[in-house]
Amino acid sequence: MRVLAIGAHPDDIEIACSGTLAKCVERGDTVFVCHVSSGNLGHVVIPPEELKIIRANEAKKAGALAGVKEVIWGGFDDLDIYENNKQARDKMVDIIKYANPDFIITHSPDDYMPDHTAVSRLVFDASFTATLPNYKTNQPNPAKLVPIYYMDTLAGVNFNPTEFVDITSTIDLKLKMMDCHESQVVWMRDHDNIDFLDMVKTCSKYRGYQCGVEYAEGFRQCNVYLKGTAKRLLP
C-alpha cells in the first residue's frame, strides 16, 4: 500500500503517528510524509529564515530513521494556510496526486491551533478534488478517492479514538524520531514548559492502556460518504 501522512509542521507526524508509519514501512508500505508549513515561527531565539532550514533538515532526518520514502514540504510558512485558500488547495491536490495514497493520515478537525485545523480541512477538501480528472493542476493524473484517518491531538485533548495501532515495537524508534527535532524540544520547554519526549511517551502509554497494549497510537476515521471502508488499513 501507499500511505500519505500530512501534518501542519515538521514534527507533528512524529508526535502523533510515527510509530504507526514505522509499522507501515515494516509491512512493506511506501510511506510519504508532508509537512504543509515550514515551522519557521516555532522558536524563541532562532529567526524564521534560519529555523525554516533547520526544521526541514530535522524532518528529513526523522523520516530517514523510519524508512519514509520522501518527506515533502507543502511550500507554506506558519499561519499562512487559511480555509478556502485555492493556492493551498491546489498545492495539496498535487501532493495527493503525486503520492497517490491508499489512505491518508492527517490532523483532527478539533485540534488546538489554527495551522492544524486548517490543514485538516485542507486535506479533506483536496482529497476529493484530487480525484477529479477535469480539475487541472501541475500533476496530470487524478488520485484515488481514499479513506482519511485523523490522528491524535496534542496530549489527546478532545479526541476519542475509534481505532488503535499497537506501537510497542516501534516506541523507541518514535522517540528517536522525535529527538531529531532538536529545535522543538527546546521550543516546547521554553514556550510551553513541557518535556517534549516525556509527553509523547506518556500519551502513547495512555493510549496503550485504552486498548490493552504497552504503547499505542489512536486514530478516528473520517466517516463521510465514499470514504468509509470495511478493510483494516492501519497496521
mmCIF file of all heavy atoms in Angstrom, residues 86-109:
data_model
loop_
_atom_site.group_PDB
_atom_site.id
_atom_site.type_symbol
_atom_site.label_atom_id
_atom_site.label_comp_id
_atom_site.label_asym_id
_atom_site.label_seq_id
_atom_site.Cartn_x
_atom_site.Cartn_y
_atom_site.Cartn_z
ATOM 1 N N LYS A 86 -7.326 28.809 -2.406
ATOM 2 C CA LYS A 86 -7.173 27.974 -3.609
ATOM 3 C C LYS A 86 -5.723 27.586 -3.842
ATOM 4 O O LYS A 86 -5.436 26.466 -4.283
ATOM 5 C CB LYS A 86 -7.740 28.683 -4.829
ATOM 6 C CG LYS A 86 -7.776 27.793 -6.077
ATOM 7 C CD LYS A 86 -8.396 28.520 -7.254
ATOM 8 C CE LYS A 86 -8.571 27.582 -8.452
ATOM 9 N NZ LYS A 86 -7.286 27.017 -8.906
ATOM 10 N N GLN A 87 -4.799 28.481 -3.565
ATOM 11 C CA GLN A 87 -3.385 28.160 -3.751
ATOM 12 C C GLN A 87 -2.986 26.969 -2.894
ATOM 13 O O GLN A 87 -2.313 26.046 -3.356
ATOM 14 C CB GLN A 87 -2.509 29.370 -3.403
ATOM 15 C CG GLN A 87 -1.014 29.103 -3.582
ATOM 16 C CD GLN A 87 -0.143 30.224 -3.027
ATOM 17 O OE1 GLN A 87 -0.633 31.172 -2.418
ATOM 18 N NE2 GLN A 87 1.154 30.119 -3.230
ATOM 19 N N ALA A 88 -3.408 26.997 -1.633
ATOM 20 C CA ALA A 88 -3.084 25.898 -0.735
ATOM 21 C C ALA A 88 -3.784 24.612 -1.168
ATOM 22 O O ALA A 88 -3.191 23.527 -1.148
ATOM 23 C CB ALA A 88 -3.474 26.254 0.701
ATOM 24 N N ARG A 89 -5.044 24.731 -1.580
ATOM 25 C CA ARG A 89 -5.777 23.542 -2.003
ATOM 26 C C ARG A 89 -5.124 22.909 -3.227
ATOM 27 O O ARG A 89 -4.929 21.684 -3.277
ATOM 28 C CB ARG A 89 -7.228 23.878 -2.314
ATOM 29 C CG ARG A 89 -8.073 22.630 -2.640
ATOM 30 C CD ARG A 89 -9.497 22.995 -2.976
ATOM 31 N NE ARG A 89 -9.562 23.792 -4.207
ATOM 32 C CZ ARG A 89 -10.659 24.422 -4.620
ATOM 33 N NH1 ARG A 89 -11.775 24.386 -3.895
ATOM 34 N NH2 ARG A 89 -10.648 25.116 -5.740
ATOM 35 N N ASP A 90 -4.745 23.724 -4.203
ATOM 36 C CA ASP A 90 -4.139 23.176 -5.418
ATOM 37 C C ASP A 90 -2.786 22.540 -5.130
ATOM 38 O O ASP A 90 -2.425 21.515 -5.732
ATOM 39 C CB ASP A 90 -3.996 24.271 -6.476
ATOM 40 C CG ASP A 90 -5.335 24.656 -7.094
ATOM 41 O OD1 ASP A 90 -6.349 24.014 -6.764
ATOM 42 O OD2 ASP A 90 -5.349 25.605 -7.905
ATOM 43 N N LYS A 91 -2.037 23.142 -4.223
ATOM 44 C CA LYS A 91 -0.756 22.547 -3.837
ATOM 45 C C LYS A 91 -0.985 21.195 -3.176
ATOM 46 O O LYS A 91 -0.283 20.214 -3.476
ATOM 47 C CB LYS A 91 -0.008 23.487 -2.882
ATOM 48 C CG LYS A 91 1.329 22.950 -2.413
ATOM 49 C CD LYS A 91 2.353 22.879 -3.535
ATOM 50 C CE LYS A 91 3.715 22.443 -3.023
ATOM 51 N NZ LYS A 91 4.708 22.353 -4.095
ATOM 52 N N MET A 92 -1.988 21.110 -2.302
ATOM 53 C CA MET A 92 -2.276 19.855 -1.640
ATOM 54 C C MET A 92 -2.826 18.822 -2.615
ATOM 55 O O MET A 92 -2.524 17.626 -2.508
ATOM 56 C CB MET A 92 -3.265 20.078 -0.494
ATOM 57 C CG MET A 92 -3.548 18.837 0.345
ATOM 58 S SD MET A 92 -2.046 18.021 0.974
ATOM 59 C CE MET A 92 -1.278 19.388 1.874
ATOM 60 N N VAL A 93 -3.622 19.266 -3.575
ATOM 61 C CA VAL A 93 -4.105 18.362 -4.622
ATOM 62 C C VAL A 93 -2.922 17.721 -5.347
ATOM 63 O O VAL A 93 -2.892 16.504 -5.583
ATOM 64 C CB VAL A 93 -5.006 19.118 -5.621
ATOM 65 C CG1 VAL A 93 -5.210 18.304 -6.897
ATOM 66 C CG2 VAL A 93 -6.354 19.425 -4.982
ATOM 67 N N ASP A 94 -1.923 18.527 -5.689
ATOM 68 C CA ASP A 94 -0.750 17.997 -6.388
ATOM 69 C C ASP A 94 0.022 16.998 -5.523
ATOM 70 O O ASP A 94 0.521 15.985 -6.022
ATOM 71 C CB ASP A 94 0.175 19.135 -6.815
ATOM 72 C CG ASP A 94 -0.238 19.749 -8.146
ATOM 73 O OD1 ASP A 94 -0.877 19.042 -8.950
ATOM 74 O OD2 ASP A 94 0.078 20.931 -8.374
ATOM 75 N N ILE A 95 0.142 17.282 -4.234
ATOM 76 C CA ILE A 95 0.852 16.368 -3.337
ATOM 77 C C ILE A 95 0.110 15.034 -3.246
ATOM 78 O O ILE A 95 0.716 13.961 -3.279
ATOM 79 C CB ILE A 95 1.037 17.017 -1.955
ATOM 80 C CG1 ILE A 95 2.066 18.148 -2.048
ATOM 81 C CG2 ILE A 95 1.474 15.980 -0.912
ATOM 82 C CD1 ILE A 95 2.133 19.033 -0.823
ATOM 83 N N ILE A 96 -1.209 15.088 -3.148
ATOM 84 C CA ILE A 96 -2.001 13.860 -3.072
ATOM 85 C C ILE A 96 -1.916 13.086 -4.385
ATOM 86 O O ILE A 96 -1.755 11.856 -4.394
ATOM 87 C CB ILE A 96 -3.456 14.183 -2.697
ATOM 88 C CG1 ILE A 96 -3.521 14.712 -1.257
ATOM 89 C CG2 ILE A 96 -4.350 12.953 -2.842
ATOM 90 C CD1 ILE A 96 -4.866 15.271 -0.849
ATOM 91 N N LYS A 97 -2.006 13.788 -5.508
ATOM 92 C CA LYS A 97 -1.856 13.110 -6.799
ATOM 93 C C LYS A 97 -0.476 12.463 -6.919
ATOM 94 O O LYS A 97 -0.335 11.334 -7.419
ATOM 95 C CB LYS A 97 -2.044 14.117 -7.940
ATOM 96 C CG LYS A 97 -3.472 14.558 -8.182
ATOM 97 C CD LYS A 97 -3.500 15.549 -9.350
ATOM 98 C CE LYS A 97 -4.898 15.989 -9.720
ATOM 99 N NZ LYS A 97 -4.898 16.924 -10.870
ATOM 100 N N TYR A 98 0.544 13.176 -6.485
ATOM 101 C CA TYR A 98 1.918 12.674 -6.581
ATOM 102 C C TYR A 98 2.110 11.415 -5.736
ATOM 103 O O TYR A 98 2.675 10.415 -6.204
ATOM 104 C CB TYR A 98 2.876 13.773 -6.134
ATOM 105 C CG TYR A 98 4.312 13.339 -5.995
ATOM 106 C CD1 TYR A 98 5.105 13.118 -7.121
ATOM 107 C CD2 TYR A 98 4.894 13.174 -4.742
ATOM 108 C CE1 TYR A 98 6.433 12.731 -6.995
ATOM 109 C CE2 TYR A 98 6.210 12.784 -4.599
ATOM 110 C CZ TYR A 98 6.979 12.562 -5.727
ATOM 111 O OH TYR A 98 8.290 12.166 -5.601
ATOM 112 N N ALA A 99 1.628 11.445 -4.498
ATOM 113 C CA ALA A 99 1.790 10.295 -3.606
ATOM 114 C C ALA A 99 0.841 9.161 -3.968
ATOM 115 O O ALA A 99 1.142 7.996 -3.715
ATOM 116 C CB ALA A 99 1.578 10.731 -2.159
ATOM 117 N N ASN A 100 -0.323 9.500 -4.505
ATOM 118 C CA ASN A 100 -1.341 8.519 -4.902
ATOM 119 C C ASN A 100 -1.577 7.486 -3.798
ATOM 120 O O ASN A 100 -1.422 6.269 -4.016
ATOM 121 C CB ASN A 100 -0.942 7.838 -6.216
ATOM 122 C CG ASN A 100 -2.088 7.060 -6.828
ATOM 123 O OD1 ASN A 100 -3.265 7.363 -6.594
ATOM 124 N ND2 ASN A 100 -1.766 6.033 -7.596
ATOM 125 N N PRO A 101 -1.978 7.926 -2.613
ATOM 126 C CA PRO A 101 -2.050 7.012 -1.470
ATOM 127 C C PRO A 101 -3.277 6.117 -1.507
ATOM 128 O O PRO A 101 -4.281 6.405 -2.170
ATOM 129 C CB PRO A 101 -2.135 7.981 -0.285
ATOM 130 C CG PRO A 101 -2.860 9.171 -0.842
ATOM 131 C CD PRO A 101 -2.364 9.300 -2.257
ATOM 132 N N ASP A 102 -3.195 5.023 -0.737
ATOM 133 C CA ASP A 102 -4.354 4.162 -0.480
ATOM 134 C C ASP A 102 -5.119 4.629 0.753
ATOM 135 O O ASP A 102 -6.273 4.268 0.925
ATOM 136 C CB ASP A 102 -3.901 2.715 -0.307
ATOM 137 C CG ASP A 102 -3.322 2.156 -1.599
ATOM 138 O OD1 ASP A 102 -4.096 1.976 -2.557
ATOM 139 O OD2 ASP A 102 -2.100 1.917 -1.655
ATOM 140 N N PHE A 103 -4.454 5.384 1.616
ATOM 141 C CA PHE A 103 -5.137 6.099 2.690
ATOM 142 C C PHE A 103 -4.270 7.259 3.148
ATOM 143 O O PHE A 103 -3.058 7.292 2.894
ATOM 144 C CB PHE A 103 -5.539 5.185 3.855
ATOM 145 C CG PHE A 103 -4.404 4.593 4.658
ATOM 146 C CD1 PHE A 103 -3.916 5.231 5.789
ATOM 147 C CD2 PHE A 103 -3.862 3.370 4.291
ATOM 148 C CE1 PHE A 103 -2.898 4.664 6.542
ATOM 149 C CE2 PHE A 103 -2.838 2.794 5.035
ATOM 150 C CZ PHE A 103 -2.361 3.444 6.176
ATOM 151 N N ILE A 104 -4.921 8.214 3.799
ATOM 152 C CA ILE A 104 -4.272 9.443 4.252
ATOM 153 C C ILE A 104 -4.451 9.570 5.761
ATOM 154 O O ILE A 104 -5.512 9.255 6.301
ATOM 155 C CB ILE A 104 -4.887 10.674 3.559
ATOM 156 C CG1 ILE A 104 -4.638 10.628 2.040
ATOM 157 C CG2 ILE A 104 -4.332 11.977 4.135
ATOM 158 C CD1 ILE A 104 -5.413 11.667 1.251
ATOM 159 N N ILE A 105 -3.416 10.038 6.435
ATOM 160 C CA ILE A 105 -3.480 10.379 7.857
ATOM 161 C C ILE A 105 -3.247 11.875 7.988
ATOM 162 O O ILE A 105 -2.320 12.419 7.379
ATOM 163 C CB ILE A 105 -2.422 9.615 8.674
ATOM 164 C CG1 ILE A 105 -2.654 8.105 8.584
ATOM 165 C CG2 ILE A 105 -2.424 10.073 10.130
ATOM 166 C CD1 ILE A 105 -1.543 7.274 9.233
ATOM 167 N N THR A 106 -4.081 12.563 8.768
ATOM 168 C CA THR A 106 -3.880 13.993 8.982
ATOM 169 C C THR A 106 -4.450 14.411 10.327
ATOM 170 O O THR A 106 -4.907 13.583 11.115
ATOM 171 C CB THR A 106 -4.483 14.812 7.823
ATOM 172 O OG1 THR A 106 -3.982 16.151 7.889
ATOM 173 C CG2 THR A 106 -6.006 14.822 7.883
ATOM 174 N N HIS A 107 -4.443 15.722 10.578
ATOM 175 C CA HIS A 107 -4.898 16.269 11.850
ATOM 176 C C HIS A 107 -6.399 16.105 12.052
ATOM 177 O O HIS A 107 -7.185 16.122 11.096
ATOM 178 C CB HIS A 107 -4.581 17.768 11.928
ATOM 179 C CG HIS A 107 -3.127 18.076 12.060
ATOM 180 N ND1 HIS A 107 -2.401 17.812 13.198
ATOM 181 C CD2 HIS A 107 -2.249 18.647 11.191
ATOM 182 C CE1 HIS A 107 -1.148 18.210 13.030
ATOM 183 N NE2 HIS A 107 -1.030 18.712 11.818
ATOM 184 N N SER A 108 -6.778 16.030 13.309
ATOM 185 C CA SER A 108 -8.192 16.102 13.672
ATOM 186 C C SER A 108 -8.715 17.506 13.403
ATOM 187 O O SER A 108 -8.007 18.501 13.628
ATOM 188 C CB SER A 108 -8.360 15.781 15.163
ATOM 189 O OG SER A 108 -9.639 16.169 15.616
ATOM 190 N N PRO A 109 -9.959 17.633 12.937
ATOM 191 C CA PRO A 109 -10.535 18.975 12.751
ATOM 192 C C PRO A 109 -10.766 19.711 14.069
ATOM 193 O O PRO A 109 -11.071 20.909 14.050
ATOM 194 C CB PRO A 109 -11.870 18.695 12.045
ATOM 195 C CG PRO A 109 -12.176 17.280 12.333
ATOM 196 C CD PRO A 109 -10.875 16.572 12.484
#
